[in-house]
């Protein structure tokens, strides 16, 4: 913690970065994102087991970028997000400095290559509970799954917190906001909810870094992250490509191999 | 007595292969069931996965998607991209509880008029046996719940 | 508010016999936006078309749906009629009531209902059609031909003779290609160089052809009509303007033992050399890998002795960038190396040679003056065995395709041998005889009947050396698989034709597709054999597939006419069914977020990056832009775009959505 605070002070005082995006104390035991502009406030930064939210989503917000060079406290999923954003030309190396929190220490990573090397050493795994849930769902029958999701998505109020919290959902005009044509009903409509989450999962296939922030953000507790995890793992299994592995674009859904294998096309 | 259920089938086809193949079916006067409505697109690569969901929510009971055989795409690689997209979308649809038996994917070339007729008939029969896709259609008409 | 007119065709009885056209017309009038709906017996006929034009004018229609046969049949017809009637041709759509309805379903209510649905789909589409103008792209009327063999030479001459300048780029120091290495050509037994060298000279002297020998293409940017080619002129180390071709440098060069590639290693050359006496241009080049000066800084004999002081050791490669409008690929082929064949000696046996080496032996200007001699000891072979299909038609250890030219050249080789060595015995082991061209079969018969060449139908399992001779073990399948053993003095393998080394890299540089054997891919195997899928790049000769000389020349002329056709118009006009990335007023500028996932999906590399700048020149954002010259309108980018910032004119998101909603 002290290491982070002193590093942040150093960076801000020298003007190397204009803002440090990190975690601060929230109500009770919760942690929430904070933006430290002045070196004096660097002590508000917290690093502990409760800091799991993927902060990379702020790297694409124009109000934050307008501040200048950003430093970001980065858990492994944030590092992956940085790489994926770089691959999609949303981040420039000179505009972001990652402060990776690995094994209790703070590592300053100034280049995408450094981030790539660091990430390569960290195994990515979905949390146990989530994996159990996915396994449970895949073991169900089609109609059981339908009933499960109908029940879950029935609670969706279309607040779009999942979209707002996801670093990869940086589109200025989301397809949901397009009204000519209006692909998906905007209201909290049963079919609209199903379609929205399906579309979101498809748009994240091959780009999701499996941070789970979307599910954590949902105010009514729908495990939407399972959908994006599933889409991501399908891409990984079928095409060997995963989101956030490299700053060079390798997007399975816009490339192909002439001998991709499938068995369902007649 | 109510009319026996006739499924509503929507087909998304590519202009250069399957649409031409369906034309050949017509020229050869091969008969097939009339439940299908064809939407012509330049290439299967143009088929957005959202269209499939929209077809169902709009009342279709079955969807057919068909294009050029791999390596024959008029635009070189549109069908390869479509194939990848379907490989992922199909898994996701299944995960979210959409009945995959109602979706048929195929490659029909401009010379395969008979295959088109066979495909439509088979798909229509399968969906007829499954009945109307009430589960999705109900969601479409349901209000805010 | 739309004013759509629906015109339902009876097509005689073709549609009206099964579909209740009157009911369809009535239903059409009820569709929102339709102000006019009629039915007529034959819409494509003159009166039918007049009716269409009159209705457009009288009812002030802004969209037309012709419900008739397949659009693949008559869309251009009705679009032209609509244009004559006064509306943009792209405001006309067709509903397929014939191939997709009346011809495939039984007469009855469901069929008529389907017809109504099909009309409704097109009405909804046409209401959202935008008037589109064909796209005009300027053209640079200069062609680039890659490869100076017979294909490249023919294409260059044909294009230049239509009046357009041509840049002919050849990798080796002289043009001519493999044809210059051949002795005589089938089926006429014309001396190959005699028919080729006049063409080579014509190319050199043609005022519109600029020859770049010993040069390679480094980069090709741009698109059809507007390419930018970066050519590297490798340094010959000779000032070509001063050199007069006297040849003193070659004679006096102390390094003389380099295997001569032109003679397939049968003779040696010096480190400074002209590839062959009839080379065009007849200027030497210094082989940097073997030249004493470049290896150790000593010698310089050529510089001292050159009468015109033309040697330039410090000459550098030069890079030139040219604007061209079309490219013809004519990079030719190579043959499979003898070392590939384990059963025939891995290339260890000096007297087991391939067809090209035999050509050099038989050639009057070759290392033996046209006498057939064994490479090992220079003796005349009394018995030669020719093995056809060495490596071809071999799924397991070679290539599965037929190399096309070997049956003919093997017959030719055997005949030449018989002509030169009167008592010689030539045996050809074959699988089939492929002699399909004009006078080809007669040529092969001549080899058998007049020249006494022995044909044995069977394959050779092994060739090994024994006492200075080669033992060939084969089988004669026409004599009941009888084992055949021949003690031969020389074995000639008709090795498979393969794509040139470096073909894959060149294809990738040009963004041209190629098959698993690295032959360049044509746009359509039947109907578009000289075009590639990359607009503006054409194919000629063996780089596309194994091919003999008459076909190569024909194809080269074909490619040339495509280029000439392209250059014959003032501008290139293209169908406007292309993708467009939206543009919005500031501060949005575009919904595109610049992720460029569409760029990797596009099969034609038609998506470019466009920086959007403010008045100070600062870049605000980089968004995608579709090159209208390259986009072919497939729409893959549209379904890849998450934010739907890119759309396909003619099949836009709105249109497809509306079509779907109307069912």
């Amino acid at each position: 913690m002290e290491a982070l605070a002193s590093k942040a002070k150093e960076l801000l005082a020298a003007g190397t970065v204009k803002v440090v995006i990190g975690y601060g104390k929230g109500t009770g035991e919760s942690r929430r994102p904070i933006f430290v502009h002045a070196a004096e406030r660097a002590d508000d930064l917290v690093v502990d087991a409760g800091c799991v939210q993927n902060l990379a989503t702020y790297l694409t917000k124009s109000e934050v970028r307008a501040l200048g060079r950003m430093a970001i406290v980065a858990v492994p999923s944030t590092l992956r997000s940085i790489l994926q954003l770089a691959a999609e030309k949303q981040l420039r190396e000179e505009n972001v400095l990652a402060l990776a929190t690995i094994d209790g220490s703070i590592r300053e990573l100034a280049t995408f290559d450094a981030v790539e090397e660091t990430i390569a050493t960290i195994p990515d795994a979905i949390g146990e509970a989530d994996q159990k849930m996915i396994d449970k769902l895949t073991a169900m029958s089609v109609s059981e799954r339908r009933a499960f999701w109908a029940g879950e998505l029935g609670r969706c109020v279309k607040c779009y917190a999942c979209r707002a919290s996801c670093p990869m959902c940086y589109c200025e005009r989301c397809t949901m906001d397009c009204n000519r044509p209006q692909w998906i009903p905007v209201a909290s409509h049963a079919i609209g909810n199903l379609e929205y989450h399906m579309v979101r999962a498809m748009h994240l296939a091959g780009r999701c870094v499996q941070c789970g922030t979307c599910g954590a953000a949902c105010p009514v507790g729908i495990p939407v992250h399972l959908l994006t995890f599933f889409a991501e793992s399908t891409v990984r299994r079928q095409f060997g490509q995963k989101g956030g592995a490299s700053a060079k674009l390798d997007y399975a859904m816009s490339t192909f191999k002439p001998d991709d294998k499938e068995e369902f096309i007649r | 007595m109510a009319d026996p259920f006739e499924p509503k089938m929507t087909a998304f086809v590519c202009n250069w292969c399957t649409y031409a193949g369906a034309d050949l079916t017509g020229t050869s006067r091969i008969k097939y069931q009339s439940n299908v409505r064809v939407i012509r697109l330049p290439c299967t690569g143009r088929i957005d996965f959202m269209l499939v969901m929209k077809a169902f929510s709009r009342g279709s009971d079955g969807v057919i998607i068909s294009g050029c055989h791999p390596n024959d795409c008029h635009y070189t690689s549109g069908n390869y991209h479509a194939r990848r997209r379907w490989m992922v979308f199909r898994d996701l649809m299944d995960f979210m509880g959409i009945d995959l038996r109602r979706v048929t994917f195929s490659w029909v070339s401009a010379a395969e008029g008979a295959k088109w007729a066979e495909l439509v008939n088979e798909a229509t029969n399968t969906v007829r046996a499954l009945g109307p896709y009430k589960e999705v259609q109900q969601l479409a008409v349901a209000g805010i719940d | 508010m739309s004013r759509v007119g629906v015109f339902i065709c009876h097509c005689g009885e073709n549609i009206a016999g099964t579909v209740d056209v009157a009911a369809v017309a009535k239903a059409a009038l009820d569709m929102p936006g339709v102000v006019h709906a009629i039915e007529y017996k034959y819409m494509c006929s003159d009166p039918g078309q007049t009716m269409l034009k009159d209705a457009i004018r009288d009812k002030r229609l802004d969209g037309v749906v012709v419900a008739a046969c397949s659009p693949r049949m008559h869309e251009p017809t009705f679009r032209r009629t609509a244009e004559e009637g006064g509306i943009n041709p792209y405001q006309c759509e067709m509903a397929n009531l014939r191939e997709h309805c009346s011809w495939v379903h039984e007469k009855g209510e469901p069929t008529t209902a389907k017809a109504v649905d099909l009309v409704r789909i097109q009405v909804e589409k046409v209401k959202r059609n935008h008037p589109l103008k064909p796209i005009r792209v300027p053209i640079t009327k200069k062609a680039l031909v890659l490869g100076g063999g017979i294909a490249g030479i023919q294409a260059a001459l044909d294009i230049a003779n239509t009046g357009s300048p041509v840049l002919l780029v050849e990798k080796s120091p002289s043009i001519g290609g493999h044809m210059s290495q051949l002795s005589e050509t089938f089926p006429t037994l014309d001396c190959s160089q005699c028919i080729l060298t006049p063409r080579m000279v014509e190319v050199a002297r043609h005022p519109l052809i600029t020859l770049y020998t010993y040069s390679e293409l480094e980069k090709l940017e741009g698109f059809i009509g507007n390419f930018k080619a970066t050519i590297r002129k490798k340094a010959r180390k000779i000032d070509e303007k001063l050199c007069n071709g006297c040849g003193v440098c070659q004679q006096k060069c102390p390094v003389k033992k380099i295997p001569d590639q032109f003679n397939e290693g049968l003779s040696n050359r010096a480190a400074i050399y002209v590839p062959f006496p009839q080379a065009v241009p007849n200027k030497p080049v210094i082989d940097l890998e073997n030249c004493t000066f470049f290896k150790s800084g000593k010698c310089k004999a050529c510089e001292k002795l050159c009468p015109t002081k033309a040697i330039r050791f410090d000459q550098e490669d030069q890079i030139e960038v040219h604007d061209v409008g079309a490219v013809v690929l004519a990079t030719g082929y190579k043959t499979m190396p003898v070392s590939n064949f384990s059963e025939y000696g891995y290339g260890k046996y000096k007297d087991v040679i391939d067809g090209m080496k035999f050509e050099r032996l038989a050639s009057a200007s070759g290392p033996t003056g046209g006498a057939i001699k064994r490479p090992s000891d220079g003796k005349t072979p009394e018995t030669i065995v020719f093995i056809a299909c060495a490596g071809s038609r071999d799924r397991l250890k070679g290539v599965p395709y037929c190399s096309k030219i070997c049956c003919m050249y093997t017959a030719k080789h055997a005949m030449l041998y018989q002509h030169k060595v009167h008592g010689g015995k030539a045996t050809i082991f074959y699988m089939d005889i492929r002699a399909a061209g004009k006078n080809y079969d007669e040529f092969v018969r001549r080899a058998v009947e007049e020249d006494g060449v022995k044909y044995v139908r069977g394959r050779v399992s092994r060739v090994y050396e024994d006492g200075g001779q080669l033992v060939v073990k084969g089988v004669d399948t026409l004599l009941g698989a009888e084992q055949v053993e021949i003690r031969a003095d020389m074995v000639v393998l008709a090795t498979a034709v393969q794509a040139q080394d470096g073909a894959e890299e060149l294809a990738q540089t040009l963004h041209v597709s190629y098959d698993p054997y690295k032959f360049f891919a044509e746009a359509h195997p039947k109907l578009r054999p000289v075009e590639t899928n990359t607009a503006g790049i054409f194919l000629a000769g063996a780089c596309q597939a194994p091919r003999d000389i008459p076909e190569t020349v024909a194809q080269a002329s074909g490619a040339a006419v495509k280029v000439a056709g392209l250059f014959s118009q003032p501008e290139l006009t293209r169908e406007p069914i292309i993708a467009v990335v939206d543009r919005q007023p500031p501060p949005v500028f575009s919904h595109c977020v610049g992720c460029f996932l569409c760029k990797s999906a596009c099969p034609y590399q038609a998506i470019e990056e466009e920086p959007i700048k403010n008045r100070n020149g600062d870049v605000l954002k980089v968004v995608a832009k579709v090159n209208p010259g390259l986009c072919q309108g497939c729409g893959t980018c549209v379904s890849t775009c998450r934010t739907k910032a890119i759309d396909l004119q003619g099949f836009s998101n709105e249109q497809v959505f509306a079509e779907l909603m109307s069912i």
Side-chain angles (χ1 to χ4, degrees), chain B residues 19-42:
Chain B
Y19 196 90
D23 275 355
L24 182 61
T25 320
T27 329
S28 322
R29 309 292 199 281
I30 302 176
K31 302 266 187 268
Y32 54 88
Q33 299 174 50
S34 61
N35 310 56
V36 69
R37 305 287 180 263
V38 167
I39 297 201
R40 178 168 80 124
L41 295 164

Side-chain angles (χ1 to χ4, degrees), chain C residues 68-91:
Chain C
C69 50
S70 170
R72 297 174 62 88
M73 187 100 215
H74 272 314
E75 191 174 71
T77 317
F78 288 114
R79 285 212 164 145
R80 222 174 306 130
T81 312
E83 195 171 21
E84 286 167 21
I87 56 173
N88 183 288
Y90 294 94
Q91 309 278 87

Side-chain angles (χ1 to χ4, degrees), chain C residues 501-512:
Chain C
D501 286 327
E504 187 174 13
E505 287 76 29
L506 183 62
Q508 287 166 354
T509 305
L510 266 57
H511 295 302
V512 163

